[in-house]
């Protein structure tokens, strides 16, 4: 990565799945009313900041957050699947208490984790670094997911 690259990382706003405590990886729920309010708060927080580029995951909750947060900005929004959350496979939509102790331990540790029938953290890391490594110097806003930020 170019040392002149500065990343500003923002997680998408809340969805109904987040509110219910469900794991949401590649599922595609939109923002809840609270999530839209969070995106408007992000817009206010970023109002004095100028970005070379703004990138978002292609999942609806991230695109909605980025669109609301960047309303009125002249910077084109770049949508890229490499910024997607970890694919949770068989545990997608599960609540924490429904997960086996082994899966909970793996999620807490994160490094080395692979969701059952899902994606490895290493694969997530590889696709995210592929995008980040391609960025030119400057300040870049990435609107993405908790796993990507982690």
């Amino acid at each position: 990565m170019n040392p002149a690259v500065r990343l500003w990382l923002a997680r998408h706003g809340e969805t109904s799945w987040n509110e219910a405590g469900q794991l949401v990886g590649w599922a595609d729920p939109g923002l809840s009313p609270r999530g839209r309010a969070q995106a408007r708060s992000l817009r206010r927080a970023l109002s004095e900041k100028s970005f070379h580029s703004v990138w978002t995951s292609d999942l609806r909750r991230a695109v909605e957050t980025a669109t609301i947060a960047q309303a009125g900005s002249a910077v084109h929004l770049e949508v890229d699947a490499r910024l997607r959350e970890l694919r949770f496979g068989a545990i997608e939509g599960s609540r924490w208490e429904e997960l086996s102790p082994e899966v909970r331990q793996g999620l807490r540790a994160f490094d080395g984790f692979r969701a059952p029938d899902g994606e490895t953290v290493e694969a997530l890391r590889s696709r995210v670094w592929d995008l980040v490594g391609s960025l030119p110097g400057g300040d870049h806003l990435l609107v993405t997911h908790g796993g990507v930020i982690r």
Side-chain angles (χ1 to χ4, degrees):
M1 181 170 68
N2 181 334
V5 171
R6 287 172 299 281
L7 300 178
W8 294 68
L9 305 174
R11 183 181 177 268
H12 62 80
E14 180 186 79
T15 70
S16 60
W17 284 41
N18 300 134
E19 186 177 28
Q22 295 173 272
L23 293 176
V24 56
W26 285 19
D28 206 15
L31 294 178
S32 67
R34 182 176 178 197
R36 286 188 288 282
Q38 290 167 337
R40 287 189 298 273
S41 292
L42 178 60
R43 180 176 61 217
R44 287 189 296 276
L46 298 174
S47 66
E48 300 297 317
K49 187 70 187 135
S50 174
F51 295 103
H52 181 82
S53 68
V54 179
W55 293 79
T56 184
S57 158
D58 64 333
L59 295 173
R60 187 169 58 162
R61 59 194 182 271
V63 172
E64 284 184 78
T65 301
T67 301
I68 293 168
Q70 283 299 108
S73 170
V75 178
H76 175 72
L77 181 61
E78 302 288 345
V79 179
D80 198 300
R82 292 175 290 180
L83 290 174
R84 279 186 174 199
E85 178 62 278
L86 183 71
R87 186 170 56 86
F88 285 116
I91 61 173
E92 182 86 19
S94 298
R95 291 180 176 82
W96 185 256
E97 61 274 4
E98 298 169 337
L99 301 174
S100 71
E102 297 79 23
V103 170
R104 281 186 263 169
Q105 181 179 353
L107 275 169
R108 277 190 208 104
F110 205 61
D111 282 338
F113 178 72
R114 180 186 187 123
D117 298 322
E119 182 178 30
T120 65
V121 168
E122 186 52 42
L124 165 73
R125 183 177 290 120
S126 177
R127 63 181 160 79
V128 171
W129 280 116
D130 183 57
L131 179 135
V132 170
S134 71
L135 296 174
D139 289 354
H140 305 273
L141 174 62
L142 307 182
V143 180
T144 187
H145 308 273
V148 172
I149 292 170
R150 187 172 178 188

